[in-house]
Amino acid sequence: MRKLALSDEILLSVEKPARYIGGEINAVMKDKDDVDIRFAMCFPDVYEIGMSHLGIQILYDMFNRRDDVWCERVYSPWVDLDRILREQRIPLFALESQEPIRDFDFVGITLQYEMCYTNVLQILDLAHIPLHAAERGEEEPLVIGGGPCAYNPEPLAPFFDLFYIGEGETVYDALFDLYKDCRTGGASREDFLRRAAKIPGIYVPALYEVTYKEDGTIASFTPRDADIPAVVEKQVVMDMTDAPYPEKPVVPYMKVTQDRVVLEIQRGCIRGCRFCQAGMIYRPLRERSLDCLKEHAARMLQATGQEEISLSSLSSSDYSELKGIVNYLIDEFGSQNINISLPSLRIDAFSLDMMGKIQDVRKSSLTFAPEAGSQRMRNVINKGLTEEVILQGADEAFHGGWNKVKLYFMLGLPLETDEDRKAIAHLADKIARTYYDIPKENRNGKCQITVSTSFFVPKPFTPFQWAPMHPMGDYLGFAKTVNHEIKDMLNHKSIRYNWHQADVTLLEGVFARGDRRIAEVIENAYRNGALYDAWTEFWDYDRWLAAFARTGIDMDFYTLRERSLDEIFPWDFIRIGVTKDFLKREWKKAQEAEITPNCRQQCSGCGARCYGGGVCVESKG
């Protein structure tokens, strides 16, 4: 039996010790002496969250298919184990081997959301790896970041040796082969990084220099040497059908957030919502074939014993073979009581028909995201939904047996007015009226409508990247406006209202559009106790305000300021296909509340055609 990094005494003293012992079904075990590269795949949040992430599952499977690589998993220790590791000087370890990750070749950290940034530093700190890349020697692992937040890597740039920009299935093999070649040839860490920077999609922050104007905006962002690329190209998998996909996902010993098999049916989105970063950075839309999905589903369910399968996509309704895969899953696995989850659906007759086949409508709730209450605001954000469509969809759902509806909206959107905010309450009331227009004997109990609002955060590579945010007091006022309006509605007893924290939103906005100077704030806050900032019980806004004060960095510069169209952004050196000129056109159209058709209706010339595939090829525009 292998030796655990933690003693039984320690495991019995912490909450949920199953987070740390490894050995789960389908976990990959190798002999470290038989591999050339050891890769620690880290998710900077607790095990239950990280184990639910599809991207890590894909890369874990893909890396371990190589005989010369052993990829192991690492998650942020919960606060109880964090304290013990520090007190007893136990270095952070990987789950599979239980060995310190400081002894690995690579430490890969996925950056899925901005509020995990202090947990990134926790992982490095507990691993006894210097926080700053410049302080690491030849024996320390190379720290590489990836994921959606890597599309603006600058707030974390000093902490990483390199970043991978794009989808991981493309050039990791080239990176690993280069690493082996450099190590065999006795090349230094610096030599490897310089050569790695020339691989498409690889960004090495230390090889680039930033200068600033007197007003604090960026004056220039350039490579330090002529042989380093000035532009980093996003990496894209165009053939999704033949792309690597895990046939034997790791099955946790304990309940995790998404405790099910995940089947990615497509990648990208055709809709073009102007607030949505994922809809821009994952363009163009690329589908997996129906036969491929059938094969993956059967193998994963057999290999895991899971009782639920979820069809993953940014907009599942847009998958051209949705009916085919749903019918297959019902026919093949319905008798085995396998549940089917269909997130990200639009409310229309087709989607409701699909949901009706897989759900007990008397028990389930319908989730829908109009995002804005008024038609004008839905046009501003390019949501592409009319009130007529929303109410018709609700009416069909209610007649189909549903009586519980969850509605998601955003507050603080660019160009939003008080009337737009009040319209959220009015739309919820109209949906409730639609239910009560049904004869009482045909209703399914009392109508329950839950309205949830989050506060808008402008993200890189979206048409709203130029937009200002609001002071915290304004956000709270926006929520109170909606709450007050709901209480005045005729059907207010059927409507429940929840809203997001405003202070978290502001910090998320700083991290989303920040530059390298923000790294000092992150490190300062971490050293003064900031950790698990995405968790309400550990969130401390005053700690962050103190960090800004101690570092002398003006938070308002990153939140309240509207950007000029000619400003250089910290992420402008990254090319994602979608062009800045297109985003500027969309920003102008937003100000005119003008709709842009989706990619299957008409090509908008966003630039993603440069990849030569996906829905762009289907378009004749």
Side-chain angles (χ1 to χ4, degrees), residues 378-392:
R378 286 193 294 275
N379 291 350
V380 166
I381 66 177
N382 203 44
K383 185 63 182 177
L385 280 175
T386 64
E387 184 173 291
E388 179 183 4
V389 169
I390 294 170
L391 296 180
Q392 181 180 343

Side-chain angles (χ1 to χ4, degrees), residues 156-383:
L156 293 173
F159 311 123
F160 282 82
D161 294 290
L162 60 168
F163 288 89
Y164 185 114
I165 310 299
E167 298 168 359
E169 297 97 330
T170 53
V171 301
Y172 260 115
D173 283 336
L175 187 69
F176 290 157
D177 291 343
L178 172 64
Y179 178 77
K180 288 174 60 177
D181 182 60
C182 285
R183 194 169 63 179
T184 301
S188 68
R189 185 188 193 93
E190 183 179 353
D191 289 339
F192 167 75
L193 290 172
R194 292 186 66 85
R195 291 175 64 181
K198 298 170 187 177
I199 296 176
I202 299 297
Y203 167 54
V204 179
L207 300 180
Y208 295 77
E209 184 175 14
V210 190
T211 63
Y212 301 92
K213 300 177 183 177
E214 286 188 8
D215 64 1
T217 60
I218 293 175
S220 66
F221 187 100
T222 54
R224 294 185 182 274
D225 298 301
D227 62 336
I228 302 301
V231 173
V232 177
E233 301 276 356
K234 174 187 81 171
Q235 296 304 291
V236 178
V237 180
M238 292 311 301
D239 185 355
M240 293 298 297
T241 294
D242 290 333
Y245 203 76
E247 295 181 351
K248 296 181 177 181
V250 179
V251 182
Y253 283 136
M254 58 182 290
K255 184 173 178 57
V256 297
T257 307
Q258 303 291 334
D259 205 2
R260 61 189 68 126
V261 162
V262 179
L263 189 63
E264 184 186 35
I265 58 177
Q266 62 184 8
R267 196 173 292 177
C269 186
I270 63 171
R271 295 292 162 180
C273 296
R274 294 178 178 129
F275 59 84
C276 182
Q277 185 187 50
M280 297 295 168
I281 64 176
Y282 293 124
R283 286 192 177 196
L285 179 78
R286 292 144 288 150
E287 296 186 342
R288 294 188 194 269
S289 73
L290 179 57
D291 288 341
C292 161
L293 293 179
K294 289 178 179 180
E295 186 175 326
H296 285 325
R299 290 182 177 178
M300 288 192 295
L301 288 169
Q302 182 179 9
T304 62
Q306 293 280 20
E307 297 178 344
E308 182 173 345
I309 185 167
S310 175
L311 304 186
S312 173
S313 167
L314 291 175
S315 180
S316 299
S317 302
D318 294 322
Y319 177 58
S320 60
E321 295 280 5
L322 184 63
K323 185 176 182 179
I325 187 61
V326 169
N327 287 338
Y328 166 78
L329 293 173
I330 292 171
D331 293 342
E332 288 293 316
F333 305 107
S335 61
Q336 301 174 33
N337 295 319
I338 300 295
N339 295 319
I340 305 168
S341 172
L342 263 177
S344 306
L345 284 176
R346 298 167 72 84
I347 292 192
D348 55 30
F350 171 70
S351 299
L352 291 170
D353 178 56
M354 291 295 99
M355 291 187 69
K357 289 181 176 181
I358 64 173
Q359 290 187 0
D360 181 346
V361 296
R362 293 184 176 272
K363 296 180 181 178
S364 64
S365 61
L366 199 63
T367 300
F368 185 41
E371 306 294 1
S374 71
Q375 190 59 52
R376 187 189 74 86
M377 274 311 301
R378 286 193 294 275
N379 291 350
V380 166
I381 66 177
N382 203 44
K383 185 63 182 177

Side-chain angles (χ1 to χ4, degrees), residues 596-617:
T596 296
N598 74 61
C599 299
R600 282 205 170 107
Q601 292 177 317
Q602 177 183 313
C603 179
S604 57
C606 74
R609 274 190 175 193
C610 66
Y611 296 110
V615 74
C616 295
V617 172

Side-chain angles (χ1 to χ4, degrees), residues 431-461:
I431 291 173
R433 287 189 207 176
T434 301
Y435 182 79
Y436 290 114
D437 283 344
I438 299 173
K440 191 171 184 178
E441 61 273 16
N442 295 331
R443 298 177 200 159
N444 180 22
K446 184 181 178 182
C447 179
Q448 301 173 43
I449 296 176
T450 302
V451 174
S452 296
T453 58
S454 60
F455 296 113
F456 163 74
V457 176
K459 294 293 182 79
F461 296 111

